[in-house]
Amino acid sequence: MVVHPGRSSAQLSHHSKPVRTTIESNTTNPRWEGQVFTLDAIATDTIEFEVKDKFAKSRPTIIRFLGRAEVSVQRIIDKVNAACGPVNFNLDLVRRHPRENVSGTLMLTTGVQVDIQAG
């Protein structure tokens, strides 16, 4: 996953720093329960998730990319505030290019921790 700036935002130091999960072997329905990631982001940012097949490198006939999904940080903030705590998201995986065949859903639970820094 990676944090990208919003459409009209400037590139900041916390943008474009990839974060990876551990690898879930031998499954078509991976689960990363208990993994916690802390991302620096502002409300105008977008978080992008990319799902890949780890073993496709050793099998060149298989495409490694399985899909991508994204969610705006503002959408997360709004949903967490409405629920007064962590919330679940179901994000459909989509293509990067028109010829890719992609299907699946990324399900995640997220919360928000506000860190106000004096400027």
Side-chain angles (χ1 to χ4, degrees):
M1 77 190 94
V2 65
V3 177
H4 293 294
R7 289 187 179 115
S8 60
S9 299
Q11 182 85 14
L12 301 174
S13 62
H14 68 272
H15 292 133
S16 303
K17 293 182 180 178
V19 178
R20 297 179 186 265
T21 65
T22 58
I23 296 167
E24 291 295 312
S25 300
N26 301 321
T27 181
T28 57
N29 190 21
R31 299 177 67 90
W32 293 274
E33 294 183 42
Q35 286 193 43
V36 176
F37 300 94
T38 301
L39 302 173
D40 291 331
I42 58 176
T44 58
D45 288 344
T46 299
I47 301 173
E48 179 184 40
F49 303 88
E50 190 168 281
V51 182
K52 296 179 180 180
D53 181 351
K54 174 193 184 279
F55 296 105
K57 282 185 178 178
S58 62
R59 299 180 303 217
T61 59
I62 296 176
I63 297 171
R64 189 167 183 235
F65 176 78
L66 299 177
R68 62 178 284 282
E70 64 181 37
V71 62
S72 73
V73 172
Q74 186 63 59
R75 182 173 170 211
I76 294 170
I77 292 168
D78 292 346
K79 199 167 178 180
V80 167
N81 285 341
C84 298
V87 295
N88 297 317
F89 281 90
N90 294 319
L91 306 172
D92 290 332
L93 295 178
V94 297
R95 309 172 198 183
R96 288 181 300 193
H97 308 291
R99 292 184 290 178
E100 292 174 328
N101 185 18
V102 172
S103 66
T105 302
L106 176 70
M107 295 178 279
L108 68 118
T109 302
T110 185
V112 174
Q113 178 180 341
V114 177
D115 182 16
I116 301 173
Q117 298 178 359

